[in-house]
Structure formats: C-alpha cells, structure tokens
Amino acid sequence: MEHQTQYKLVKCTINGKKTENMVDVRASLTDMLRNDYRLTSVKKGCEVGECGACNVLIDGECFNSCIYLAIWADGKEIRTLEGLLGPNGELSDIQQAFVDETAVQCGFCTPGFIMTAVEILESGKEYTRDELRKLLSGHLCRCTGYENILNAVEKTMKRRLGKA
C-alpha cells in the first residue's frame, strides 16, 4: 500500500499577519516557520526540545517549535524574533540590551533566548537573578557563559519596571 502524505490547512497569525497554508501533518512548527515563511530566526538546533534555539511565542507562551506540530498552530498567534522589530527595523529594548551587554557571540542561540526573555518581561513581574537563571535554563549556549545574557534580561526587566 502506497503511503499518502496528508496535508491540513493551518490558519494562524504570525508576527501580526494572518496566514493560511497547507502543511504536512508531520511537519514541525520550526519547519513551517522556516520553510514556508522564511523566518530564519527560528533555528534548528537539537530538534528534540532540549536547546531552546527554536523557541517562539504561541499565544504569549514560549514553546520549543521543533517538538510542536505545525498543525497545532491552527488558530494561534505566533511571534518570532522578526516580529520584535519596530516599523523601520529598529531593535526592541531586549534586543538592544543583548547588544549593549555583549550577550551575543555566534548568535545561533540568541533568538530563542530573546523570545524566552520576551515572555519573562511581558509577565510584568520582578524576578531575582536566581529566578531569571532558572527561567532561562531551557537554553543551551556554547559560547557566552550566560552571565551577559542574564545581565541583559535583568537590566531590561528593571528598566521596564522603572527600577533601573
């Protein structure tokens, strides 16, 4: 018996734009975002949900898009790093903080870290450094040693809370 690939229509909002697309039911959200929408900030790292390089916000919550089926995104609102840029391509405060704190080296893991940071910052809560460390622990980085990333997130959090 010949195997037939099944496709389903996925309608969702990506970075504020309504989209619809026929998607292989076996495809990951990472594959849909990268291949169909050219959102290359969504990195393919471990592909088993361990490294965080593929993190995106789905209805305001961070998920590893590599282990999230594209068809599950139907009706959802998805945000990637590309959606953080201002109308003229200006960086968001958290992106600028990563630059200012030299929290970026090769940059591969950075988009995932930043999307988790967005979730943290949008909670409006003040976290201790240890809590931030724990909240960011789902990410692997081979070059930075993490301290500058923590500094960038902590400083942005304090600035947004008016405590800088």
Side-chain angles (χ1 to χ4, degrees):
M1 205 165 93
E2 213 174 292
H3 177 72
Q4 297 237 300
T5 302
Q6 276 195 299
Y7 287 86
K8 272 198 169 145
L9 182 66
V10 174
K11 294 180 181 184
C12 59
T13 302
I14 301 173
N15 295 327
K17 291 190 188 91
K18 291 203 179 304
T19 64
E20 49 182 81
N21 190 26
M22 290 303 284
V23 176
D24 183 329
V25 296
R26 301 163 302 176
S28 70
L29 183 57
T30 304
D31 287 337
M32 182 182 90
L33 293 170
R34 288 183 61 83
N35 302 340
D36 302 338
Y37 297 101
R38 299 283 174 252
L39 296 168
T40 54
S41 75
V42 184
K43 301 298 183 211
K44 273 190 147 182
C46 67
E47 294 193 68
V48 291
E50 294 289 324
C51 76
C54 67
N55 266 28
V56 298
L57 288 169
I58 303 172
D59 291 342
E61 195 182 334
C62 251
F63 287 91
N64 290 312
S65 65
C66 71
I67 55 172
Y68 191 99
L69 288 176
I71 57 171
W72 297 343
D74 192 54
K76 305 248 192 277
E77 187 176 319
I78 296 158
R79 285 162 71 203
T80 70
L81 189 79
E82 288 86 351
L84 299 183
L85 294 175
N88 301 310
E90 58 274 26
L91 297 179
S92 64
D93 59 351
I94 184 63
Q95 289 170 294
Q96 189 59 52
F98 267 65
V99 174
D100 296 343
E101 298 298 323
T102 55
V104 179
Q105 283 184 28
C106 88
F108 190 82
C109 68
T110 308
F113 263 114
I114 289 178
M115 296 317 292
T116 294
V118 168
E119 181 187 29
I120 291 166
L121 295 166
E122 288 182 352
S123 77
K125 294 180 188 144
E126 185 171 8
Y127 294 100
T128 65
R129 196 165 172 92
D130 277 346
E131 288 170 329
L132 288 175
R133 186 176 275 114
K134 195 170 193 150
L135 289 166
L136 292 165
S137 68
H139 293 271
L140 299 177
C141 171
R142 290 185 169 175
C143 1
T144 66
Y146 304 102
E147 287 306 304
N148 292 353
I149 293 169
L150 266 171
N151 293 343
V153 177
E154 187 176 46
K155 283 185 179 167
T156 306
M157 175 190 72
K158 287 192 169 155
R159 207 173 294 127
R160 283 196 188 183
L161 295 170
K163 298 182 177 191

